[in-house]
């Protein structure tokens, strides 16, 4: 039993050989398959996984690409091999990303009068448009959550005193949403893995949600029905990501745009925008 524990500790400590083997197993590749994908010899890959050989910077980059790792994990692989991480991790805070900020502002404005938000890799809401503020205000005013949690899209949906209490189809909607978080974890997001643990600590969640599964094919889109007294809304949403970002934090940015799922919601959005 000691070998698996040691391996897990090696991964946590960022040892390159264990980290490489960990991600190869996550991607369900044999050494030969990864060697072919990376255009290296299976013998050399074996030596890298056992620690008998040390990789060059170019080899680390090649393996990270062959494993299709997110940029934050490629950085971790470089650090484990003793190299400076090649990708910045400043996201929207970077001084040179003003054009990205302007593009996000433009997308949010174009979504009016319907809601739109920008979320990061931990599902924290970084930006929102006026449509989001107007339409969700009646619900947000009733949240009984810590300020930090109230600005996290996942916590808002799953917290018993958040939006969850107003989602009419919460079991169906939350069951599908948790699978999106599982996919983020499967792609290698450490932030998503931590968030998943926090979410699953809430009461009233199905034990089945602890494991990833195929999303239901019963409906073409995921719809959220909200109700507070006589105030009713129904939305479906889309996610947009930035193409080919070279910043680890920016790679995890998602833009979620909400669209009315019925005429009554569309009319309510137009009326509140006047």
């Amino acid at each position: 039993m000691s070998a698996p524990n040691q391996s897990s500790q090696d991964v946590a400590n960022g040892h390159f050989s264990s980290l490489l083997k960990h991600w190869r197993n996550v991607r369900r590749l044999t050494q030969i398959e990864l060697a072919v994908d990376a255009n290296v010899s299976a013998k050399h890959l074996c030596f890298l996984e056992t620690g008998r050989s040390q990789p060059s910077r170019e080899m680390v980059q090649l393996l990270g690409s062959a494993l299709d790792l997110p940029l934050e994990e490629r950085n971790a692989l470089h650090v484990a091999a003793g190299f400076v991480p090649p990708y910045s991790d400043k996201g929207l805070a970077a001084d040179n990303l003003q054009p990205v900020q302007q593009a996000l502002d433009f997308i949010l404005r174009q979504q009016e009068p319907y809601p739109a938000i920008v979320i990061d890799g931990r599902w924290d809401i970084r930006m929102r448009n006026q449509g989001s503020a107007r339409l969700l205000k009646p619900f947000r005013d009733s949240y009984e959550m810590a300020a930090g949690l109230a600005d996290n899209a996942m916590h808002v949906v799953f917290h018993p005193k958040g939006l969850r209490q107003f989602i009419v189809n919460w079991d169906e909607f939350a069951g599908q949403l948790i699978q999106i978080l599982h996919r983020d974890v499967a792609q290698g997001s450490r932030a998503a893995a931590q968030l998943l643990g926090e979410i699953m600590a809430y009461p009233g969640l199905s034990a089945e949600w602890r494991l990833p599964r195929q999303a239901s094919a019963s409906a073409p889109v995921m719809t959220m029905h909200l109700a507070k007294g006589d105030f009713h809304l129904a939305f479906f949403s889309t996610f947009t990501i930035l193409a080919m970002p070279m910043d680890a934090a920016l790679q995890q940015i998602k833009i979620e745009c909400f669209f009315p799922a019925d005429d009554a919601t569309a009319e309510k959005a137009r009326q509140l925008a006047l």
Side-chain angles (χ1 to χ4, degrees):
M1 295 296 292
S2 60
N5 290 338
Q6 182 61 47
S7 177
S8 298
Q9 188 62 42
D10 287 345
V11 171
N13 290 337
H15 293 295
F16 177 82
S17 58
S18 297
L19 206 54
L20 174 60
K21 185 176 181 179
H22 165 75
W23 282 114
R24 179 176 62 77
N25 289 332
V26 168
R27 296 297 188 245
R28 299 182 179 181
L29 296 171
T30 65
Q31 284 187 344
I32 292 177
E33 289 170 334
L34 178 56
V36 170
D37 290 344
N39 195 28
V40 300
S41 73
K43 181 178 180 181
H44 184 49
L45 183 63
C46 178
F47 281 9
L48 290 174
E49 285 195 1
T50 58
R52 295 178 63 182
S53 294
Q54 293 301 310
S56 65
R57 175 184 287 274
E58 291 73 20
M59 178 58 66
V60 177
Q61 189 74 353
L62 186 64
L63 290 171
S65 178
L67 289 165
D68 192 26
L69 297 184
L71 299 186
E72 65 170 336
E73 290 302 329
R74 298 190 195 192
N75 277 347
L77 207 61
H78 276 81
V79 171
F83 300 113
V84 175
Y87 302 104
S88 66
D89 194 15
K90 295 182 180 180
L92 296 176
D95 294 335
N96 63 336
L97 291 179
Q98 185 177 357
V100 177
Q101 284 271 16
Q102 292 174 340
L104 294 175
D105 285 336
F106 178 81
I107 293 173
L108 296 185
R109 289 197 306 271
Q110 294 303 306
Q111 185 62 15
E112 296 285 358
Y114 310 125
I117 58 175
V118 175
I119 54 181
D120 61 19
R122 195 182 147 69
W123 289 77
D124 286 332
I125 300 172
R126 302 292 300 276
M127 303 169 63
R128 66 173 77 241
N129 68 354
Q130 292 301 310
S132 173
R134 285 191 303 268
L135 286 165
L136 296 181
K137 185 178 186 303
F139 307 102
R140 289 176 59 85
D141 287 345
S142 298
Y143 292 173
E144 296 180 30
M145 305 170 59
L149 297 182
D151 289 324
N152 181 278
M154 282 287 177
H155 277 290
V156 161
V157 170
F158 287 90
H159 194 290
K161 297 297 185 180
L163 193 62
R164 170 177 171 175
Q165 58 190 317
F166 304 112
I167 303 178
V168 177
N169 61 330
W170 184 79
D171 284 337
E172 175 189 10
F173 178 78
Q176 295 182 62
L177 187 63
I178 199 74
Q179 294 305 315
I180 296 178
L181 191 54
H182 273 296
R183 287 199 293 273
D184 285 352
V185 173
Q187 286 299 313
S189 171
R190 299 185 185 192
Q194 179 181 346
L195 180 59
L196 180 61
E198 296 172 2
I199 294 302
M200 291 306 303
Y202 284 129
L205 273 60
S206 170
E208 296 180 354
W209 294 357
R210 294 186 178 277
L211 298 174
R213 59 173 174 77
Q214 292 292 329
S216 172
S218 60
V221 293
M222 183 170 64
T223 304
M224 176 174 62
H225 297 271
L226 299 171
K228 183 182 180 184
D230 294 331
F231 190 68
H232 294 265
L233 297 172
F235 294 105
F236 67 89
S237 62
T238 63
F239 287 102
T240 302
I241 60 173
L242 300 174
M244 296 181 290
M246 298 304 290
D247 178 276
L250 202 60
Q251 186 184 48
Q252 301 176 63
I253 290 290
K254 296 183 182 74
I255 307 144
E256 185 173 13
C257 294
F258 296 82
F259 297 88
D262 55 37
D263 292 339
T265 299
E267 180 60 26
K268 178 65 70 175
R270 288 192 290 268
Q271 289 176 358
L272 291 178
L274 296 177

